[in-house]
Amino acid sequence: MSLEITFLGTGSAYPSPERGASALVLRREGQCWLFDCGEGTQTQLMRSHLRAARITKIFITHLHGDHLFGLPGLLCTLSLQSSPDASKPPVDIYGPLGLRSFLWRSLELSHSQLLFPYTVHELVPTRDQCPAEEFRDFSGLDGGEAPPQGPPGRVLHLDPGEDSYLLVEDEQLVVRAFRLFHRVPSFGFVLEEKPQPGKLDVQKLKDLG
């Protein structure tokens, strides 16, 4: 399995002309997976050798602005580069509880209509992931007011046995989220390649003794 990582931004809090806010892309099997999407990520993508249209999954570590303020704009740019296609698989977006409401409200208030589907899979944090006074319970954030056409997706709870959240699994790898401690609930993402059976040339081994 071939993996390639491109850092689009490694700055924090305050972007500069030379250093973008947090964002990196993992390229795998012709797809691009984006991790964090700080302000200016779409501009950094244009400067890179990557094609934004190949982004199929987006992972947001936490809800501080320097890690997600670029996301609504990036989705709108991807939409401008798209044509309506009902059969196109959705872009999967993973992040802490509250991310669905942030995206829905940002796109709704700006009258932005995406030409492709997307889903938001929210990770429910535990209270020990940040200082007690910083914890916010976003479980009832929308109070049922989100319209039926709002972004679908799963609400993922911690698996106590694994002490992690299972996000993606296919024949080659597993992607899990793990809890991190930060000023707000934060998550780290681990990509684990599944064991692949080796191939032995039995006759050559015999010939070599």
Side-chain angles (χ1 to χ4, degrees), residues 23-179:
L24 70 85
V25 170
L26 182 143
R27 189 162 64 170
R28 174 207 177 213
E29 308 292 334
Q31 299 181 23
C32 290
W33 292 3
L34 176 65
F35 292 81
D36 279 340
C37 189
E39 183 180 348
T41 294
Q42 55 182 319
T43 304
Q44 293 293 87
L45 274 167
M46 294 173 190
R47 292 174 177 163
S48 74
H49 64 286
L50 302 167
R51 291 182 56 192
R54 293 190 180 274
I55 294 175
T56 59
K57 297 186 188 303
I58 300 173
F59 302 83
I60 302 296
T61 57
H62 62 291
L63 299 184
H64 275 155
D66 54 337
H67 291 256
L68 88 158
F69 278 169
L71 186 51
L74 174 64
L75 294 178
C76 289
T77 296
L78 292 178
S79 182
L80 291 173
Q81 298 173 351
S82 303
S83 55
D85 183 1
S87 64
K88 184 177 180 179
V91 174
D92 287 304
I93 304 173
Y94 301 85
L97 195 66
L99 182 59
R100 178 181 289 108
S101 181
F102 169 78
L103 278 178
W104 169 62
R105 290 180 185 277
S106 298
L107 297 173
E108 185 76 9
L109 291 171
S110 61
H111 295 254
S112 302
Q113 296 181 340
L114 303 184
L115 296 179
F116 61 89
Y118 73 101
T119 58
V120 180
H121 309 287
E122 295 183 298
L123 286 65
V124 179
T126 58
R127 291 182 176 270
D128 57 353
Q129 284 182 250
C130 68
E133 65 274 12
E134 296 283 355
F135 187 85
R136 301 289 185 273
D137 183 0
F138 293 140
S139 57
L141 194 60
D142 294 318
E145 64 176 295
Q149 65 267 27
R154 297 173 292 160
V155 175
L156 303 172
H157 293 269
L158 178 72
D159 179 346
E162 297 288 341
D163 197 26
S164 65
Y165 304 72
L166 177 61
L167 307 185
V168 180
E169 182 172 13
D170 60 26
E171 68 281 355
Q172 290 186 312
L173 59 72
V174 176
V175 182
R176 294 183 181 274
F178 289 85
R179 297 173 298 161

Side-chain angles (χ1 to χ4, degrees), residues 193-208:
E193 188 173 5
K194 290 184 175 180
Q196 298 294 322
K199 295 181 179 179
L200 294 177
D201 187 333
V202 176
Q203 186 55 50
K204 189 170 185 178
L205 288 173
K206 290 181 177 178
D207 293 343
L208 292 172

